[in-house]
Amino acid sequence: MGDPSLDDFEAGLRRFGLQAALGYLNKWVPHRFTAIYALEGDLLRNMEVFDERNEIRALDLQTVQLNESFCQVVLRDGKLITTDSAADARLEGSPYQGVVHSYVGVPVAIPGGGLYGTLCHYDVVERHIADKEFEFFRQSALILAHYV
């Protein structure tokens, strides 16, 4: 299958849009879902999600309270990687702890300053992400910021 390419990611984003770009990101990780959330005050609104099974109704995460979300940790710490949310003390109090087991998230900053939201991979079962996969994901968020 080769290696992921930031050039291919950006070209696909420009040509085919956000859904296709999220699908491209998803194909390089074991996680079922890849999504982008926009920060709107104290809410996070799902702008697009890719589900490798195409059963997106399986999780209702269209709008999430920031203070209940995993994204709050991403925004506070600059990233979040957890393979077992039920055992992750950073996620205490979130109603999604133990429901979404695996989560990888990075912030999406608006060029020139400001914050758009978060980009994440997640799954309802335990999944791991390699350092190389995470770095590609992080760099993809920098590119994505120019298109949101």
Side-chain angles (χ1 to χ4, degrees), residues 57-125:
R57 299 283 178 232
L59 289 177
D60 183 20
L61 298 172
Q62 293 303 308
T63 304
V64 179
Q65 291 288 325
L66 177 61
N67 65 349
E68 296 179 344
S69 72
F70 292 8
C71 296
Q72 69 179 317
V73 177
V74 173
L75 300 178
R76 183 190 70 215
D77 298 347
K79 70 177 181 179
L80 173 61
I81 302 171
T82 188
T83 57
D84 182 6
S85 71
D88 195 323
R90 297 172 294 179
L91 303 171
E92 289 293 325
S94 171
Y96 309 106
Q97 186 178 27
V99 176
V100 173
H101 284 276
S102 302
Y103 179 93
V104 177
V106 293
V108 178
I110 299 168
L115 184 65
Y116 177 81
T118 61
L119 177 64
C120 58
H121 295 303
Y122 58 96
D123 208 319
V124 296
V125 297

